[in-house]
């Protein structure tokens, strides 16, 4: 589909100029110090575009590479390589952008020394969830639930409809698969305490200050996984990664990562 | 597809708690000062999810709204509204993020007073090209070619394969539709001069310094549309928007725009 | 797609005979005492086939109905009703068959008085997982995990590859989302004990005798959810539903349910 | 699609534990005495999941195999084999279940010694018609028409709309392709006689007793193919398979066959 | 899909000029004396493009209309009407072209007075078979089999592989559904005689002269349907439509019909 | 999709007769003097139908071949070759029909000696635009714009809505990508003059007589590309191809080309 939207089979410039029988080598090169993701997808784009293209991947998803590193080598009809170029690069730059941002969060988490785990959210580009969550893992972070169907997350709306947090937990426990954990969003210390009492598996402390979070951690006391979210970035991550905070979820990982930077360089041409 | 990847029809939390017959109102609210794009798509997501959802859009794509503005009002089964929520917001935040970034570039262009036009590139998220290019226009910028099939852009590879720029232009003119303009990428003043001589419709000055660009503009002297690209951002746009530069192309518009910020608020529930 | 495979738009018999302008009423009737599932889907089949068909559903998914009950009433061009008939009935009979079998298991579970929960498996008809799991719930049973991506289930292969159960649990805990529970398959009392020690959330006792299960339940002592599977049917369910067994998983729910039984009866025709 | 619904590319258990470079052998084994169908589909599932998987099929669709028989051997990355396992088995068990039930009907038909042919109906699982009808043939039974577009079947509704059976036959003969046979459903001896007089190619005796069928066969006297349906199973097939009955149609072949039984066993692992 | 290939949502000309709120009326007008087919499809194209378009069809598929006749009236946003225009017309002109050519053949057949039926073949535009066969019927001709799966047609290859025509007929009778007729292609009088002896339902006389056909008809003597094909057009149809020839098949009906001729005229605009 | 609509996997005739293990050679042969297009598509149809089919293409798209020329050689299971035959031929005959008609127009254009270029239109078969436009090029003609999104074409409706031609040109220049040329449809000499004054890149002279066209050419005087359309065929092309006419557009190229003529011949069979 991506190749079709680029009219990649009808590149009027290259088809004007290159002989159909001409064959080239081409390298995809990293233009920055970045973490790779999407090499397998890029290879599939190039070989699906023309099954006579040969592709060798010279690095792995998850590798951190310096600017100038060759990450993929291809050989095939010049027209096919140029036709697939932009689409392959677009996959690579989008996913590597996410992996690279994730790697910065993962490094920041490591530096806190608390063992906190950085996770993504469901704030993904529609159509891209599986790939973007894979990119997050390539960057060294972790995944939150992938969909509404596999994990319970009780928010304020649910509590008010159920009548109380306790009832909400009971209702979801009675309905949801026994394989689903139950997470409760708490906005105050009182709610966090109620969540513990109800046996929540995970407690999400949303939009709290570090101080409030500290109090909640003390109260929860290891009886549930503590997840924190809201207003957290690379600059203030250390403030929120208090001992006892297990997980910090960051929407920006998938929705606001700047693109990675790659280009394709054509090498020797034969049969011109 | 986007709804399916979120398992939106199997929201185990909401289906545990909300009565199937219960109906709610819900508002989508802007959480920032931003330019809107994607309201029509968001409406279609919500009504396709459940055709008994009723949606009224209270702002238009392209509008700049303040934080707190209600941009979409919906009514329908609570379960349906919550099931469609994340998917609708993901479309809206991705497209509005692009529109908002585009609006900043459009404003910067206006301030130069030169009439320069900011355009996007083919560096789009695979599968999203049509929507992302629409978002660019909603933000007040313009589109470059949409695909390889509709416009000729001659780069270094093409020139070397053809033997000379002149031959490359001749070959594309002979092959491409008469409706396609011919653009030539020039990296030096000499190349720019050759492009003028060959009758190029557009000349792309790639990765030049403002001074080099100035010299090229003088040389081209209105005989072709002058497009500039490479290393240009909001901070240095004014340096490149010299009189005589018609178009500046910015890949970041579509590949690195931070997401917009919206949330959905549930209102009165009936039939609980 | 289902309508196309039946060539429903080219019913050469009905199109030979019925006037295009002729309109009929039609009822879908239950031909057995059964639990309903698929009414919404059947309605969509009929209205999508011809948007001038009007459909009213006169029962709900999950209802138990007697033979002879009208479950859906339709009005529209006779040709459209007959064209959509078989496809609509095929959806209804497949899903109601599953719901009806599930209801028998749910009733058997109720009669044990132990609160045991009957769940499905991933042994579903390819392409039908979401609908079949919905049918299981309509029959009063529950769902196991929907896919490999949302829940950890450690089997013998994993243990042997990891070196020990303990290592396998550690490795999955380190990799899987914090929202995923960890289930361990145990084939002996010793393995069940190890699973408890490793902090497994769910322990699957596979292919054990009731006596072995009893011993495991005593050992596990409420420290994990106890799931039982293997060779269990309606006839011997009570033997396995010992106190302390929380969940019994039954593949036959989705892979071997006999079809439900429905037919469509054409009523008054007008404009013949 | 089937692989996607199983999140087969995101098997969080196996990906936690198995090394990406590790390669295994795996066998699919029949767990019962059953007739095979779906081996080609299963092979395609495994190789499409990962084109580096190598699959050899060691039995053929239509073979009857004993429990313990290896029917398919695969080699490839352990993660790929486990990811594709359930989906491949789900295809195999569904189709082999139908083939096995069909083989029992085919054997029962052979034992009557009348040459009667057992055929399926259009009561198939939506989306599966072509594959299920193929499974029926693998089991030694035959197919009825595949869709509404290729064969005329005149029922009571058609007769009443046309005014008489004779007119209904005339109308369909005038409209339908000359390649389509005309079948008439008869519920009484009188109707069967009329069908013969009208030159029906096939006469369907629906819901008649064996005695009524015998009278109809005598009346029809070889002038049309005699098809019988309604309330016929393995237990009473012999009662209906009277000399002169050419075809018996059985909906249960495709809508109520219990699943076949297969499992995949992982063998030697290398590169762990 | 058709709308997408025309970039109908991105009509850069109309979107430059027409106000988004402007509404128009538009008529689709026949530009020739022709038989209509595709009005329902054209309506669906226009309303699917924009659900706020209102369409009324003022003629029926199968109608013969004079040049100047309004066949469809639409109202909606001017931009939507112009965006859908070309795609709707392309459907209409392709299908009406076939219907019009079919009507000429049907008329020619009527004039022979022999009751011969003109039918299409499987030589259809890939992806269009169902619609093109419908267009053939709108023009007053008939359909041959729609696919390889519903009717037996034994050609020379089959006979030589089977060993004899008789064996080929036996093999197909033993394998094919009892609902399928058996047709045999005969190239000589001898083969036609053999086909009769084998009980073929239809005999196809391919590439014979009218004289040979006459001899075959005499030989067949009403014992099978006689179909004739090969080198037959409007100019020589009467030569081949001998008494006793039941069916003449014409590939050109679907593969070489010149397009119909329609245009869309914009009427009053409001809200400009 | 095309293979599925032919039920190519369920060829009841061939599957009755040919042994599954039997392998044949087959040639596709041109049955006329024609220009080829679609060989690559035909090869893909045959190999996708059964990946064990081997195909070699013995001519190239764009070649003119005599009747009797072998254009494609295949080897594979007889059943697979016969199953794919009709679908492969249908692609080939449709596209070669267009290429052959285009080659006649290209030859006629050459004979005028004016260098006029014959181009297609958007009057293509829905779903086939890319392939049909490729066939036009194979025949030696050229393409007009591929979609509404890549080129501006101002017609009477646009002029009247804008208020004047000048305003219409200004509005589109302000909105459309800088890469899009602006074409104006002129029906009179006055309009042609206005179009020149507005700086139109292309002027379309629609439905004018050769004399009017001559006057317009004189007036335009090389300041814009001159395109002519309306009522032009092979018989009167020379009348319209006046010196100064750059382009003639012909809808019939894609909407009314008679099909090419090919057949497949089965050769030696082995393993029968």
């Amino acid at each position: 589909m991506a190749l079709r939207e680029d009219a990649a089979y009808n590149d009027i410039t290259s088809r004007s100029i290159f002989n159909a029988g001409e064959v080239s080598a081409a390298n995809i090169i990293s233009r920055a110090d970045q973490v790779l993701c999407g090499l397998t997808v890029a290879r599939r784009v190039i070989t699906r575009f023309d099954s006579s293209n040969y592709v060798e991947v010279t690095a792995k998803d998850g590798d951190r590479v310096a600017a100038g590193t060759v990450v993929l080598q291809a050989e095939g009809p010049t027209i096919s390589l140029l036709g697939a170029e932009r689409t392959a690069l677009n996959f690579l730059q989008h996913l590597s952008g996410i992996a690279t941002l994730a790697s910065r969060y993962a490094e920041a988490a490591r530096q806190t020394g608390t063992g906190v785990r950085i996770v993504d959210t469901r704030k993904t580009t529609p159509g891209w969830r599986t790939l973007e969550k894979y990119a997050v893992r390539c960057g060294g972070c972790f995944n939150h639930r992938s969909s509404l169907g596999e994990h319970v997350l009780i928010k304020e709306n649910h509590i008010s409809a159920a009548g109380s947090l306790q009832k909400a937990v009971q209702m979801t426990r009675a309905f949801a698969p026994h394989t689903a954990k139950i997470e409760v969003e708490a906005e105050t210390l009182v709610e966090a305490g109620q969540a513990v009492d109800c046996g929540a598996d995970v407690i999400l402390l949303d939009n709290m200050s570090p101080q409030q979070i500290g109090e909640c951690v003390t109260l929860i006391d290891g009886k549930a996984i503590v997840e924190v979210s809201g207003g957290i970035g690379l600059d203030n991550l250390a403030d929120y990664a208090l001992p006892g905070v297990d997980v910090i979820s960051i929407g920006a990982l998938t929705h606001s990562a700047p693109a990675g930077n790659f280009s394709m360089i054509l090498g020797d041409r034969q049969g011109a």
Side-chain angles (χ1 to χ4, degrees), chain A residues 36-234:
Chain A
L36 301 176
C37 181
L39 285 169
T40 312
V41 180
R43 178 174 56 191
R44 213 174 318 158
V45 166
I46 298 172
T47 55
R48 175 171 293 188
F49 181 70
D50 183 341
S51 60
S52 67
N53 283 333
Y54 170 78
V55 177
E56 192 163 353
V57 165
T58 53
K60 287 196 320 297
D61 283 356
D63 286 357
R64 170 176 293 282
V65 294
T69 308
V70 173
V71 299
L72 183 151
Q73 296 179 324
E75 271 182 44
T78 310
I79 287 174
S80 297
L81 296 175
L82 294 175
E85 172 184 4
R86 187 72 261 146
T87 304
L89 293 179
N90 284 350
F91 275 102
L92 203 53
Q93 74 189 19
H94 183 67
L95 294 172
S96 297
I98 291 173
T100 301
L101 181 59
S103 75
R104 297 180 62 198
Y105 274 96
E107 177 55 26
R110 245 187 318 271
Q111 289 180 1
T112 66
T114 68
V116 69
R117 171 185 277 210
I118 308 297
V119 306
D120 55 25
T121 65
R122 291 188 300 116
K123 296 180 179 176
T124 53
T125 312
W128 281 78
R129 184 162 292 170
T130 302
L131 284 173
E132 291 183 350
K133 288 195 161 247
Y134 168 65
V136 166
R137 296 197 305 270
C138 286
C141 291
F142 293 83
N143 297 147
H144 205 294
R145 65 173 173 177
S146 283
S147 76
L148 292 167
E150 66 189 52
H151 175 73
V152 170
L153 177 45
I154 296 173
K155 300 192 178 183
E156 200 187 352
N157 287 327
H158 303 107
I159 296 170
S160 102
S164 72
L165 173 56
Q166 195 180 357
K167 280 198 191 147
V169 171
Q170 282 167 359
M171 289 167 88
T172 56
R173 220 193 286 283
F175 176 88
H178 67 286
T179 53
K181 284 190 182 168
I182 293 178
E183 179 164 3
V184 173
E185 183 177 308
E187 298 186 344
T188 64
L189 185 63
V190 173
E191 288 175 7
Q194 291 174 337
V196 171
D197 294 344
C198 294
D201 297 297
V202 187
I203 298 175
L204 172 58
L205 307 177
D206 195 31
N207 286 316
M208 286 190 184
S209 68
Q211 187 187 332
Q212 289 174 296
I213 292 168
E215 293 166 14
C216 288
V217 165
T218 305
L219 180 69
I220 296 170
D221 192 23
K223 291 178 195 127
I225 295 171
V226 175
E227 177 180 339
V228 168
S229 73
I232 308 177
L234 281 167

